[in-house]
Amino acid sequence: MRTSLFLPLLLLPYALPAQDPAQYVKPIIGTQKMGHTYPGATVPFGMVQLSPDTDTIPYEMNGKYNPDVYKYCAGYQYTDKTIVGFSHTHFSGTGHSDLGDFLIMPTTGPLQLNPGTADKPESGYRSRFSHEHETAEAGYYKVRLDDHNILAELTATNRVGLHRYTFPQADQAHIILDLVSGIYNYDKKNVWTFVRVENDTLITGYRQTSGWARTRTLYFAMVFSKPIKQYGHQNLDSSVYKGFYRKFDQTSNFPEMAGRRITAWFDFDTKAGEQLQIKFALSPVSTAGALRNLAAEAPGWDFEAAKRKSREDWNRELSKVTVKALSENDLINFYTALYHTYLSPTTYMDVDGAYRGLDQLNHQAEGFTNYTTFSLWDTYRALHPLFNILQPRRNADMVRSMLEHYNQSVHKMLPVWSHHANENWCMIGYHSVSVIADAIVKGNIRGYDAMQALEACANTARYKKYDGLEYYMELGYVPEDKNSSSVSKTLEYAYDDWCIAQVAKKLGRTDLYNEFIKRSQNYRHVYDASTGFMRPKLSNGSFRKEFDVLSTHGQGFIEGNAWNYSLYVPQYPAEMIEMMGGKKQFTQHLDSLFTMHLPDAFFAETEDITRDGIIGNYVHGNEPAHHAAYLYNWTGAPWKTQERVRMILEKMYKPASDGLGGNDDCGQMSAWYLFSTLGFYPVCPGSTAYALGSPAIRSASLQLENGKTFTVEAVDQSPQNVYVRKVELNGKPLQQRFISHSDVMGGGKLVFYMSRKPTR
Amino acid sequence: MRTSLFLPLLLLPYALPAQDPAQYVKPIIGTQKMGHTYPGATVPFGMVQLSPDTDTIPYEMNGKYNPDVYKYCAGYQYTDKTIVGFSHTHFSGTGHSDLGDFLIMPTTGPLQLNPGTADKPESGYRSRFSHEHETAEAGYYKVRLDDHNILAELTATNRVGLHRYTFPQADQAHIILDLVSGIYNYDKKNVWTFVRVENDTLITGYRQTSGWARTRTLYFAMVFSKPIKQYGHQNLDSSVYKGFYRKFDQTSNFPEMAGRRITAWFDFDTKAGEQLQIKFALSPVSTAGALRNLAAEAPGWDFEAAKRKSREDWNRELSKVTVKALSENDLINFYTALYHTYLSPTTYMDVDGAYRGLDQLNHQAEGFTNYTTFSLWDTYRALHPLFNILQPRRNADMVRSMLEHYNQSVHKMLPVWSHHANENWCMIGYHSVSVIADAIVKGNIRGYDAMQALEACANTARYKKYDGLEYYMELGYVPEDKNSSSVSKTLEYAYDDWCIAQVAKKLGRTDLYNEFIKRSQNYRHVYDASTGFMRPKLSNGSFRKEFDVLSTHGQGFIEGNAWNYSLYVPQYPAEMIEMMGGKKQFTQHLDSLFTMHLPDAFFAETEDITRDGIIGNYVHGNEPAHHAAYLYNWTGAPWKTQERVRMILEKMYKPASDGLGGNDDCGQMSAWYLFSTLGFYPVCPGSTAYALGSPAIRSASLQLENGKTFTVEAVDQSPQNVYVRKVELNGKPLQQRFISHSDVMGGGKLVFYMSRKPTR
């Protein structure tokens, strides 16, 4: 049983004081089990994510995957008892990982340069901590490090992490800068590390790794608020040739450190209660860039002011939505979800616009903010559509960033899963085209050329080396005997192709429209009418004999089984329903999905989610069926959408550390929550339509960048009144269960009349 | 016995046809045994040294030094029977090594991706070759690769290596680009390699290594003259995590290659006699920089024109000296020595001035050419003084480059042994200050601020962390029990300090003059009157008891024994002679040095030289006694200088592959040859004086950058007439055995009257 961690503020009727929605943000939500969120300090879309890491176990040992590491995608697990340190980069909610760069740990007592183990924290520099002495807020994190008697406080600007450590009296006060530590680490992940002690308060350097991102370098500049007494480093690769550096005692007060695996230490004298501050700036380009970022964003030493500023940054973004909720927990869920959607993509350029490109060259972002951390298989579904409403300017810059990636790509492909100047090739599809189509079709074209974007989309979709595309283009489907997860790929390629066709249509490129609208029909090739499921097909044209509709492994699907994935034709729901036997039969399929009882073996093999992330056989903790609950709108049973949506909202999102039923996936899970709570959802990004569901708030008003306000109101709202009796848009009854993007962006009012009973 | 490899051209009296002195350049000289020169193609002070590597054996195996590797400092040993390939960077004449970047090998037949072994060349891609089918000229190298039936030709611009391979008919013609191969390589030396196949003729990438240079990256752009048929790569670190790149068959036609140890291959069809050309541009900064260098320096495909241009570049520099020699071999020796002095330092910036600094940041060279490859312990002696005569503009830029190094140094130290944005800390002293003093005292101040240079010199000499300097500053000497090679260090610091004092004097900084002129006396602290030798002293002020005046190991010296090093007080020869018992006793010391017979054990432990590099106990193959033969000028026996110099010239420099008696050391050995052949030598760089010796030419005229001509003439010259009867400068008899720098730079004529008998 999960219970809220948060004491009620006793504010009724849970109306938001407009000036401080950040008070409802609880970064601790999702930090337990599968949420994979991090509790540390960051600002909206910030480059720095300064957050505690509670363990750093290796991803791979002796060449074999260590499944335990998966818990540490965000570096933090709520049930852990120790903190290893505070590192400056984290993914939010991912199901694979990297980062954890530049771990800082303040310690007292004898110098220790290895982290030690969770069961024996005194064996290393890590410290015990407890949640009683831990605070996680938007832009601020505080914890007491019990073993060292140090109070650690963190805040951040976009590119600078700010640390404030309150020490006890100590003649042995250390700051450890561990360049070996990292998330999803393993023996050979560190490629090179480099540290220069520029003077008695300034340190610069970089860390180069080869992990999920194959060739990644991140630079830093670090300033202490008081002079270093002495310093040194440990180099774990003592066998590496050291040349004539052997002339020096490099372990102590030698200002140039370099090697594959460096851990540096800096010593200070501290008085009781003395506060040592650190400003730690990042740059994708150079240590000089990090210094410029530092000077621009954190010139002084007023930690409190920086903390206030980061909260203001959050409030400015969060207050774009004003909500009246049914409970304070709902406010917490809502604003924490909004917070989670604003964590990624992340800024990836210096204050002067310099960034590293996919081609490993330094580039200058002219007239846009360059972003990275594109988890596109997840986020094309609801996150980027949400941005087209709440963050259109940023979303256009994200499209521009994807196009720059394309320009820099030797494959001439848009990003699949990219971060920090790398393409990770994670998951499937080419869903950049969905994000681009959604922006273009919704008229959010600024700072990039739509025709060039279309060309990028078309070329991406024609790159035959990519993941079965050659077969797909030849046969109309990906054959499972040639390329695994073939059904998922076929279905998603077909959807993406439809997106490209929509852009081509809008831009008058009939040739491309014809090419891709034809491909968008390819979902039909993997439908097996004899079973009523999408099913893996072989290159000889026959369906594969072995077929388990429940399993997610080796069945032609990824992160979803045939039950969930067979619903994946978001571009043609009506046609799909017809193909699958018509509305009645399809309704039965959907009903069964949500209600069937599954054996335990099923859960054991399901990735990225807990049992809590599943309702019947409906997997909400993964993304492929995120649109499924809304499909009842096409079967003539919208009340079933309404009850399912409200049920999912209640079961899958709780104001607790284990409140998320699956990976938040860079905000996609949270974006689903936000749309669904507001009463509408983008079933098919790339179209302008939103399917209506059942709002879970009393009211919400969205302050749009165009100066207009879109309001949702739920009349007769209550936890039981999950059904929608009628809907009015700007005072006029809506006949369809859909609204369009222009309805939202034009401002106006959407009123749901709620009821305890379905309106059939 | 060494004999000349070169057939006489039958030109009498060996007068130089002014337009083509390059005809006398024989790059093969010094490529056998200890010379450590390379025979490949380069231009004066060029960034690219494109040269064959005849073996690539590892520097270190299982953590232990492999002494055989020493032979391969320049990648090539004349007696080898196979060529591994052609790499783009080489040191000339060093006694330690690195580089050998980007090895290219053309092959036919089945694809082989490892080099194979010398005794079984068919086990890899290497090929047998013979000197009969090999030509090495200034700026051009040609060889037939017997195993592949390929004619390989190489030429170069400053930053671009040009390859022309004439293939047989082959449907399996390969170009191997081995990023693993390198000079002084070992298992972990490669840090990262990265290759992008940008299109079907253009490849870019980089190689990052940690060797002698600890953190070094070099970038390239490579263009083929015809499209690649297919390509791929081998990654030797298959155990490294590969992430989702596993989606692709990366071994074949996948355009992004990255890993610690990559070997790429590119396939072509070739017709019989078809020429495949490659242009291979380097950059210290980026692949984009390499592309700019390529576009600027090698836009077309006219190999013959490029070859002509490189020879013109050489002739322009070589023809600054016009020589009438005693024999054609002397012309060969002379111009090859001049060629060798123009190989280092090397250009280290892109055509647009961008270069990587010691701080690992990219910098822009404004108004100067940035140089690297500073082997200063060697080259301060005669090479930079030679440049102050023949290459003053370049030498001023070298000073500027050293000052930029200083500015970028976290130690605030001038370079010791630096290359490619790294300080290698090799050998001893801070001889940058000698180079700077020599330039300033001789008035060669341009493009840098002399006062800032003085400050850099003083700070360098006060950096206590460096190599015993703290003790030296406290005690007046380096104590052997605290820091080895203590006598060499004390003597050289004292000399360097004198250099700083000279600059201070010239610039009117009496404070610094007083500080450093005092330090320049420190040589006295290590003189042991009881033995008549410089001797290691302990921190308690007593001389160390154990003392072997012949050994070079563990005796307080480096690359020289007490016999040689005791002469090292170039700043005060007269005082030193006095201290060592006066002229008579000192003359005996010198005589013994040149004539004593040494046991074989002595040679076994002497570094960097062959037995040929030693005359008696005088070690010419190493540098510490390079001034020694000239010291007779101070003992009243200049005829002994004259006969010794001529003897050394004859014994140590021969027009043969094994013609150099020791490492050429980035041109220092050759600079000694040139000065001595011209009849004068800079015994104490940082002073304006040259000591006279015995010229070994009939006449020479030096075209100076200031438009003037300085001429040396030797009347009655012959191999036997090694003694100087009298000397006239501009028609007036010289009473002293010295001339000054202004005598040279003012133009004019120095006439030696030679004689078979000494003039006592």
Side-chain angles (χ1 to χ4, degrees), chain B residues 316-354:
Chain B
R316 191 172 48 250
E317 299 301 334
L318 297 168
S319 63
K320 287 180 180 170
V321 187
T322 309
V323 171
K324 284 188 192 166
L326 283 163
S327 70
E328 192 185 346
N329 277 346
D330 284 357
L331 279 179
I332 289 172
N333 276 336
F334 191 92
Y335 283 102
T336 303
L338 196 55
Y339 170 86
H340 282 149
T341 62
Y342 290 170
L343 295 178
S344 329
T346 53
T347 303
Y348 190 63
M349 68 177 207
D350 288 340
V351 286
D352 63 0

Side-chain angles (χ1 to χ4, degrees), chain B residues 38-104:
Chain B
Y38 61 83
T42 188
V43 297
F45 308 98
M47 183 188 290
V48 162
Q49 304 87 32
L50 177 52
S51 189
D53 295 327
T54 57
D55 225 325
T56 56
I57 62 176
Y59 173 74
E60 207 171 37
M61 290 198 293
N62 305 320
K64 291 191 72 176
Y65 173 66
N66 171 9
D68 282 346
V69 77
Y70 175 75
K71 294 196 295 177
Y72 294 99
C73 281
Y76 185 96
Q77 271 294 343
Y78 189 79
T79 48
D80 283 350
K81 305 296 182 202
T82 66
I83 282 174
V84 178
F86 308 100
S87 69
H88 291 78
T89 55
H90 293 84
F91 290 125
S92 177
T94 56
H96 199 84
S97 206
D98 209 338
L99 305 178
D101 301 292
F102 310 128
L103 182 120
I104 293 277

Side-chain angles (χ1 to χ4, degrees), chain B residues 171-190:
Chain B
D171 48 10
Q172 286 219 60
H174 318 286
I175 296 292
I176 309 297
L177 167 60
D178 192 337
L179 299 170
V180 183
S181 187
I183 295 172
Y184 272 42
N185 233 350
Y186 54 96
D187 254 10
K188 292 190 177 177
K189 181 166 178 179
N190 261 36

